[in-house]
Amino acid sequence: MLTQTAIRRDAFRHPVPPTRNIPPAATKVFDGAKDRKPLGQSIFLMSAAKSFPRNAEIYGENEPADYLYKVISGAVRTYKILSDGRRQVEGFYLPGDIFGLEFSDEHTLSAEAIADANVLVIKRSMLTALATHDAGVARELFALAGYEVRRMRERVLMLIKTAQERVVGFLLEMAERVPAGNAVELAMSRQDIADYLGLTIETVSRTLSSLEDSAAIELPTSRRSIVLRNRTALSHMNG
Amino acid sequence: MLTQTAIRRDAFRHPVPPTRNIPPAATKVFDGAKDRKPLGQSIFLMSAAKSFPRNAEIYGENEPADYLYKVISGAVRTYKILSDGRRQVEGFYLPGDIFGLEFSDEHTLSAEAIADANVLVIKRSMLTALATHDAGVARELFALAGYEVRRMRERVLMLIKTAQERVVGFLLEMAERVPAGNAVELAMSRQDIADYLGLTIETVSRTLSSLEDSAAIELPTSRRSIVLRNRTALSHMNG
DNA sequence: CGATGCGTTGATAACTTTCAAATTTAGTGG
DNA sequence: CCACTAAATTTGAAAGTTATCAACGCATCG
């Protein structure tokens, strides 16, 4: 919808940050992962780079799902708007994360850049073709699907819990995904978090304040940062 | 844990009910499904049959995930027990449904028979081997993972809604999965439903009563049956 | 430095859970 | 087939949690 920069074909030379210790990837199709190889190792070799300004739409629900994406920098959210206007944020994607995986012709979610984002893009038809001849690619695609399933199962588990447990779970999740000590830099707004957790922004805010009161976290003036003060206590609160 | 009958090797001759119009399966790995082929067509050709009495454990969390299962008759639930005793039911599996798909070495969920159940069982190592040589098997496994992802996404969407929306969503889901007109025969108890929807049994019961009061459904004396009286109204309530 | 939007806080209402008890169904044995 | 027991479900009342509506405070950016 909004701007998007030109597509370049030099993905090989892109300063791709080392893929973080994301999901364990399966080494054999449908086999358990013993070794923790980063995901999407060979999937994005032939990709193009693209960038999106803050709040730009990357793809929309019901649009053809012709590409797979990998975040290089910035952050992305996928979401769905319900008929009554509620928004459900399905996931946050940070550098190294892959998003846009679909199993039918159309996207079932929309994707937007939370902050200015650079992403790698690869055509799905290309991947399909590659997977036919390269077992490694097929394996990685399967591993990707597997990672998605596990992530979703954790998400379901989180959504049946109380507000405090959800917020704490979110903080711990983020702390794990952005390993920068105890200072967690959040790319997303409170509203994003609320829509991700199925809560209102007020409840998220109140819960954070309450966590600060109990000395479990600290809320610096820079609102997008949260410092974990007592992980043990937080883990305990996580259910 | 409980009894389990002998394993037979004559799965070919088993009166396998026609796979219902479950998930659309991809025809090409990572490709959208144009044709709606039933899932698990070739996966269970080499399977063994096994039966489990009501409430018997089929597998437990943290046990090695060495098999994939397909329901022939009866019903199965997968679930997880949280540290504080809460139970989260992850899914219900009816005849034709496949369960037990995992992406690591161990089961992340437990599975139990809701009613006396006959299931087909196939070794995962066998599938892995088959998939290496048979692209059809590999495709089906990928499609299965894709179906799981979509199911989970719908589940997440359901869990951010109100109690009434969840219950209505559950009823419509069941009506779709067990196409028997408007009389939905539920295999599971109210407690199972509650744990599936992240609600208490009282809330589920009250919501059903309320739906009956508004003439949207009818609750016959046989408690495991629910008649949908007004699907339009129900769909409207579904959000 | 002031507008502007994001985030926090307060008060109240709505919803869901909890605790308790009443009903009803499914089984069992006579 | 009926009475009886145990289990499941429903219903009621009160408490607890989260949402809603409203106002205020405070970063961010022009």
Side-chain angles (χ1 to χ4, degrees):
Chain A
M1 201 84 132
L2 288 179
T3 14
Q4 60 184 48
T5 60
I7 296 182
R8 290 178 296 174
R9 286 249 152 240
D10 55 348
F12 286 86
R13 308 239 169 109
H14 271 299
V16 179
T19 312
R20 291 173 297 88
N21 61 333
I22 320 179
T27 42
K28 279 189 172 183
V29 169
F30 195 50
D31 238 24
K34 286 292 187 187
D35 55 333
R36 314 261 133 179
K37 198 165 63 170
L39 216 48
Q41 204 77 122
S42 45
I43 287 184
F44 284 90
L45 290 180
M46 305 275 286
S47 60
K50 219 168 170 179
S51 54
F52 297 88
R54 187 165 185 276
N55 289 327
E57 177 176 287
I58 299 173
Y59 56 78
E61 201 180 329
N62 298 325
E63 287 180 9
D66 291 336
Y67 299 92
L68 190 65
Y69 305 80
K70 180 173 187 169
V71 180
I72 299 306
S73 68
V76 171
R77 66 176 161 249
T78 55
Y79 66 94
K80 196 167 190 139
I81 303 290
L82 279 64
S83 54
D84 63 356
R86 278 175 295 183
R87 182 183 69 156
Q88 165 64 10
V89 170
E90 274 290 337
F92 297 116
Y93 299 88
L94 306 177
D97 294 340
I98 293 170
F99 67 98
L101 182 67
E102 295 284 352
F103 299 89
S104 54
D105 294 332
E106 294 182 356
H107 280 295
T108 57
L109 305 167
S110 302
E112 283 177 356
I114 297 179
D116 293 352
N118 288 302
V119 304
L120 293 183
V121 180
I122 187 166
K123 237 187 184 309
R124 189 168 153 178
S125 55
M126 165 82 86
L127 280 179
T128 306
L130 281 178
T132 308
H133 303 295
D134 184 340
V137 172
R139 244 178 271 136
E140 281 188 18
L141 284 174
F142 192 81
L144 190 58
Y147 177 57
E148 191 71 5
V149 170
R150 273 177 295 181
R151 196 175 68 84
M152 282 305 187
R153 285 183 183 165
E154 285 172 18
R155 204 138 161 44
V156 166
L157 216 57
M158 184 170 245
L159 290 177
I160 66 162
K161 298 185 185 176
T162 65
Q164 188 182 67
E165 288 171 319
R166 292 187 220 182
V167 171
V168 168
F170 170 78
L171 290 180
L172 292 175
E173 178 193 335
M174 281 309 173
E176 199 175 329
R177 290 175 66 184
V178 191
N182 285 323
V184 183
E185 291 303 320
L186 299 176
M188 67 293 294
S189 69
R190 295 285 192 272
Q191 188 62 62
D192 286 333
I193 298 172
D195 290 347
Y196 179 68
L197 298 178
L199 300 170
T200 60
I201 185 177
E202 293 96 332
T203 298
V204 170
S205 182
R206 269 188 255 273
T207 304
L208 287 174
S209 298
S210 151
L211 288 172
E212 185 173 37
D213 289 346
S214 62
I217 66 172
E218 185 184 326
L219 298 171
T221 49
S222 47
R223 276 153 154 167
R224 292 294 171 86
S225 175
I226 294 183
V227 180
L228 307 191
R229 278 274 167 245
N230 189 342
R231 289 214 192 205
T232 312
L234 289 172
S235 297
H236 195 65
M237 286 185 238
N238 197 19
Chain B
M1 198 84 133
L2 290 179
T3 12
Q4 59 184 48
T5 60
I7 295 182
R8 290 178 298 173
R9 285 249 151 239
D10 55 348
F12 286 85
R13 307 237 170 112
H14 272 296
V16 179
T19 312
R20 289 171 300 88
N21 62 334
I22 321 178
T27 43
K28 280 189 170 184
V29 169
F30 194 50
D31 237 23
K34 286 292 185 187
D35 53 335
R36 312 264 130 178
K37 199 164 66 172
L39 214 49
Q41 205 78 120
S42 46
I43 287 184
F44 283 91
L45 291 180
M46 304 277 284
S47 60
K50 219 167 166 179
S51 54
F52 297 88
R54 186 165 184 278
N55 289 326
E57 177 175 288
I58 298 173
Y59 56 76
E61 201 180 328
N62 297 326
E63 287 180 7
D66 292 334
Y67 298 92
L68 190 66
Y69 305 80
K70 181 174 188 169
V71 180
I72 299 306
S73 68
V76 171
R77 67 177 160 247
T78 54
Y79 66 93
K80 196 166 190 137
I81 302 291
L82 278 66
S83 54
D84 62 356
R86 278 175 294 183
R87 182 183 70 156
Q88 165 64 9
V89 170
E90 274 289 338
F92 296 117
Y93 299 87
L94 306 176
D97 293 341
I98 293 169
F99 67 97
L101 182 67
E102 295 283 354
F103 299 88
S104 54
D105 294 333
E106 293 183 357
H107 280 294
T108 56
L109 303 167
S110 302
E112 284 178 355
I114 297 178
D116 293 353
N118 289 301
V119 303
L120 293 182
V121 180
I122 187 166
K123 237 187 185 310
R124 189 167 153 179
S125 55
M126 165 83 87
L127 280 179
T128 306
L130 281 178
T132 308
H133 303 294
D134 183 341
V137 171
R139 243 179 271 135
E140 283 188 17
L141 285 174
F142 192 80
L144 190 58
Y147 177 58
E148 191 72 7
V149 169
R150 273 179 294 182
R151 197 175 67 83
M152 282 305 186
R153 285 184 184 163
E154 286 172 17
R155 204 139 161 43
V156 165
L157 215 58
M158 183 169 247
L159 289 177
I160 66 162
K161 298 186 186 174
T162 66
Q164 189 183 66
E165 288 170 320
R166 292 187 219 183
V167 171
V168 168
F170 170 77
L171 291 179
L172 292 175
E173 178 193 334
M174 281 309 177
E176 197 175 329
R177 290 175 66 182
V178 191
N182 286 323
V184 183
E185 292 302 322
L186 299 176
M188 67 295 293
S189 69
R190 295 284 191 273
Q191 187 63 61
D192 286 334
I193 298 172
D195 291 346
Y196 179 68
L197 299 177
L199 299 171
T200 60
I201 185 176
E202 292 96 331
T203 299
V204 170
S205 182
R206 269 187 254 273
T207 304
L208 287 173
S209 299
S210 151
L211 288 173
E212 185 173 37
D213 290 346
S214 63
I217 66 172
E218 186 184 325
L219 299 170
T221 48
S222 47
R223 277 155 154 164
R224 293 294 172 87
S225 176
I226 293 183
V227 180
L228 307 190
R229 279 273 168 246
N230 188 342
R231 290 213 193 206
T232 312
L234 288 172
S235 297
H236 194 65
M237 285 186 239
N238 197 19

